[in-house]
Amino acid sequence: MREQSRSIQDVVRRIRGEFLEMPGLRLTPQQARRLWRLDETLCDAVLGALVDARFLARTRDGFFVKDEKV
């Protein structure tokens, strides 16, 4: 379990880093899964957690973008 948590934390760090390094990055859930080679469940969980943390926002047309309100 601890190993799985560590890998999830690594995925979160990687995704945060990509959005910080590439201003204007906009990804659909499908694009995110392909880019980071994640299964649907893990990708949805990580993206949802980043939205809950207000690091990412989801646009009306379904894209994930860095939340600029922070």
Side-chain angles (χ1 to χ4, degrees), residues 7-33:
S7 65
I8 291 170
Q9 291 172 353
D10 290 342
V11 171
V12 169
R13 272 194 292 276
R14 180 172 179 201
I15 291 173
R16 287 177 61 97
E18 301 250 0
F19 276 96
L20 290 170
E21 289 173 14
M22 292 184 271
L25 182 62
R26 295 170 40 98
L27 295 172
T28 65
Q30 297 83 1
Q31 291 169 329
R33 286 195 298 270

Side-chain angles (χ1 to χ4, degrees), residues 26-44:
R26 295 170 40 98
L27 295 172
T28 65
Q30 297 83 1
Q31 291 169 329
R33 286 195 298 270
R34 279 195 310 268
L35 179 63
W36 295 303
R37 296 184 178 139
L38 301 173
D39 66 53
E40 184 174 358
T41 303
L42 178 58
C43 190
D44 289 349

